[in-house]
Amino acid sequence: MSWVRGAAGVLMVAVVWELVARTVPSVHSYLPPFTTTVGRLAELVLDASTWTALGESALTWVSGLVVGTLLAVPIGFAIGASAWIQRVTRVVMEIFKPIPPVVFIAPMVLLLGTDQKMKIVLVSYAVFWPVLMQAIAGIEGIDPIAQRTAVAFRIRRADRLRFLVFPAAWPYVMTGLRIAASLALIATVVTELVGGAPGIGQNIAVAQINSQQTDVYALVLLTGFLGLAVNRTFDRLERSTLEWHSGRS
């Protein structure tokens, strides 16, 4: 079973971590034992300030994911449906798509400060590109025979969108959302870590500045669990919404 293999992998990492931290003198000063880290993580989970920081990060993550998706899907559909728009926007996409959100932290801090708005803008940017590219691919992947048939039978544009375009593009959009959800969490934590905005990333930065190594590793573990939860949630969402699709077993 997959969960057994996953648990075995986690156990192996935990054992190696514990042994290295307790037996290698050179790492004692910056690598706390795994058991100590997990104990501190349990204490942090019971601390109200940790939940406040998680709430800040969760709000940013959800807001950025929603805003980025609402922008990317219609723009992607428009680009995918028009060869002329693709030619016009190709250079712009090739310039901006590879730029990571962290590059824009400094100018966004100057423009918006270190509040929720700054984080949402950067997370939306991180979400926008994978969803956009998948939306474009979804429109390009529509069967041209089905499109011509719909036009020949004079099916209304609204019905074509509902019964042809959206069902054909949805698997691609869901793939983009699954990728974007993880990227949104990464962008949220990095923005808080580097930009100093409130959230779990800021807590990690403060612990690092104060040389609280155990807190740093405990919060990193907490972030890892959040990433696992996000990935599993969107994987199940993708499976449940695509049960009808022929590509799903």
Side-chain angles (χ1 to χ4, degrees):
M1 298 176 66
S2 59
W3 71 268
V4 174
R5 293 192 295 269
V10 171
L11 180 61
M12 181 178 64
V13 171
V15 170
V16 172
W17 181 347
E18 186 77 15
L19 290 174
V20 169
R22 293 191 180 277
T23 60
V24 180
S26 60
V27 303
H28 284 174
S29 60
Y30 60 86
L31 180 64
F34 178 79
T35 50
T36 304
T37 304
V38 171
R40 180 55 181 157
L41 175 59
E43 293 175 357
L44 290 173
V45 168
L46 297 176
D47 191 336
S49 63
T50 301
W51 288 100
T52 300
L54 285 174
E56 291 276 357
S57 298
L59 178 60
T60 301
W61 175 76
V62 172
S63 301
L65 190 62
V66 170
V67 172
T69 300
L70 290 179
L71 290 173
V73 171
I75 293 174
F77 282 5
I79 294 175
S82 171
W84 181 82
I85 297 178
Q86 288 187 38
R87 289 194 295 270
V88 171
T89 58
R90 180 178 294 117
V91 174
V92 175
M93 289 192 294
E94 289 177 353
I95 291 174
F96 285 97
K97 184 176 64 174
I99 301 177
V102 67
V103 173
F104 295 107
I105 290 179
M108 286 298 102
V109 168
L110 291 175
L111 290 172
L112 302 174
T114 58
D115 60 6
Q116 199 72 247
K117 291 183 294 184
M118 180 271 292
K119 294 197 294 178
I120 292 173
V121 168
L122 292 174
V123 174
S124 299
Y125 176 85
V127 169
F128 179 80
W129 293 107
V131 178
L132 176 75
M133 301 311 295
Q134 288 297 313
I136 293 173
I139 297 301
E140 291 178 337
I142 297 175
D143 187 350
I145 296 177
Q147 289 180 298
R148 289 196 293 268
T149 301
V151 172
F153 279 91
R154 297 182 179 179
I155 297 175
R156 294 183 305 169
R157 183 179 297 274
D159 289 334
R160 292 205 301 269
L161 287 172
R162 179 181 177 185
F163 297 109
L164 176 60
V165 175
F166 286 135
W170 184 247
Y172 293 88
V173 173
M174 281 305 304
T175 299
L177 274 173
R178 178 168 52 82
I179 297 170
S182 297
L183 292 177
L185 180 61
I186 295 171
T188 298
V189 176
V190 170
T191 301
E192 295 165 350
L193 187 66
V194 178
I200 198 69
Q202 186 188 64
N203 285 18
I204 295 173
V206 170
Q208 190 272 330
I209 292 171
N210 294 328
S211 299
Q212 298 169 326
Q213 285 85 356
T214 304
D215 282 22
V216 171
Y217 284 97
L219 291 169
V220 168
L221 276 183
L222 179 59
T223 306
F225 288 132
L226 290 176
L228 177 62
V230 166
N231 188 62
R232 290 293 177 87
T233 298
F234 274 81
D235 183 62
R236 291 182 180 180
L237 179 63
E238 183 180 15
R239 291 177 182 274
S240 64
T241 58
L242 295 177
E243 290 180 349
W244 53 271
H245 193 258
S246 60
R248 286 287 180 181
S249 54

